[in-house]
Amino acid sequence: MLKIAIIAGSNRPNALNPQVVDWVAEQLAQRGDVEAEVVRYDDFNLPVLDEPVPAGAHMYQNDHTKAWGAKLADFDGYIFVTPEYNHSVPGNLKNALDYVAVEFNHKVGAIVNYGADKGVRAAEHLRLILINTKMATVRDQTSFSIFTDFADGKFAPQAVSSQSFTPMVDDLVLWGEALKGVRERIAEKAAAGA
C-alpha cells in the first residue's frame, strides 16, 4: 500500500485550508490502495529557514529540520493542498519546502489548489519548486474556486471541480509504485558501489 502525506499548505488563522485538507483525507480514506496521513509543517516549529547548508546536501544541523525531514522521508508520495497567495504558494509552505530536498527524491506529488482563479498559479509555482527536489508530479491537479466551491466560508466542492481528483490519485498511485522500483534500483547501485 502506498503511503501518502497530505501536506497542508497554509497555517493562516481562519484559513480555508483545513476544510480542503479534510476533504482530501476523506476521499483517500475511501480507497484501498493508499494509506494517507495529514502532515502540517507548523507542527514542527520551523522558523524562517535557518539551516546554514543548502538542503540538497542533507547536512541538517537543527533538530526541527531533522524531525521535519524524517517525517517526510516516511512517505512514497504527497498531495499538496495549497491556496494561492499573491499569484504563488503561501510563504510558509515555501519556507517549509526549502528545508528539505533528499526526502522527496524520486517520489511523486499531486496538487490540490484553490483561490480566486482556482489557485492555478500557485500550482504552477509549486511544480517548479518540487521538480528541483527530483520529485515527479502528476499532470492532473484538482482546482477549486473560492467563488463556486465554497459557500459562506464552508467548503462545498462542485462536481465539475472535484471530478479530476480520482484520476489524479490514480496517476499518483501508478507513479508512486513505479518510483518505489526506481528508489530500490538506486539503493542497489549505491550498495554495489560502497
Side-chain angles (χ1 to χ4, degrees):
M1 188 171 300
L2 209 65
K3 290 184 67 176
I4 302 295
I6 304 166
I7 306 290
S10 175
N11 62 358
R12 185 178 185 173
N14 301 317
L16 299 171
N17 198 260
Q19 295 179 58
V20 185
V21 166
D22 289 347
W23 180 85
V24 169
E26 290 166 9
Q27 302 307 304
L28 293 180
Q30 297 174 29
R31 296 181 64 106
D33 54 356
V34 298
E35 176 186 334
E37 178 183 342
V38 174
V39 177
R40 298 185 192 326
Y41 52 77
D42 47 333
D43 290 342
F44 294 84
N45 299 313
L46 301 172
V48 174
L49 184 61
D50 64 349
E51 286 289 334
V53 178
H58 204 241
M59 297 170 54
Y60 305 148
Q61 295 184 13
N62 298 309
D63 289 340
H64 52 261
T65 311
K66 292 173 185 174
W68 174 235
K71 183 63 174 178
L72 294 174
D74 281 344
F75 297 96
D76 302 304
Y78 311 85
I79 296 178
F80 297 87
V81 181
T82 184
E84 181 177 308
Y85 292 170
N86 297 315
H87 292 199
S88 191
V89 296
N92 287 344
L93 175 58
K94 176 66 165 77
N95 183 63
L97 295 175
D98 285 344
Y99 270 96
V100 293
V102 174
E103 294 80 2
F104 291 146
N105 287 180
H106 310 292
K107 294 183 181 179
V108 64
I111 302 170
V112 174
N113 44 280
Y114 60 93
D117 290 322
K118 292 195 165 193
V120 295
R121 291 168 294 216
E124 289 172 0
H125 288 180
L126 185 53
R127 286 181 195 283
L128 293 174
I129 295 164
L130 297 176
I131 195 68
N132 193 55
T133 66
K134 297 184 184 178
M135 181 185 291
T137 58
V138 297
R139 179 190 174 276
D140 292 335
Q141 64 199 43
T142 304
S143 304
F144 298 107
S145 168
I146 60 170
F147 300 116
T148 59
D149 295 302
F150 293 85
D152 298 322
K154 301 293 182 205
F155 187 50
Q158 302 295 304
V160 69
S161 299
S162 61
Q163 68 185 357
S164 63
F165 186 79
T166 297
M168 179 190 78
V169 177
D170 290 344
D171 278 354
L172 183 81
V173 170
L174 288 172
W175 278 89
E177 292 296 339
L179 287 170
K180 273 186 178 181
V182 169
R183 292 192 306 277
E184 290 169 4
R185 180 75 177 121
I186 289 170
E188 289 169 7
K189 280 185 162 184

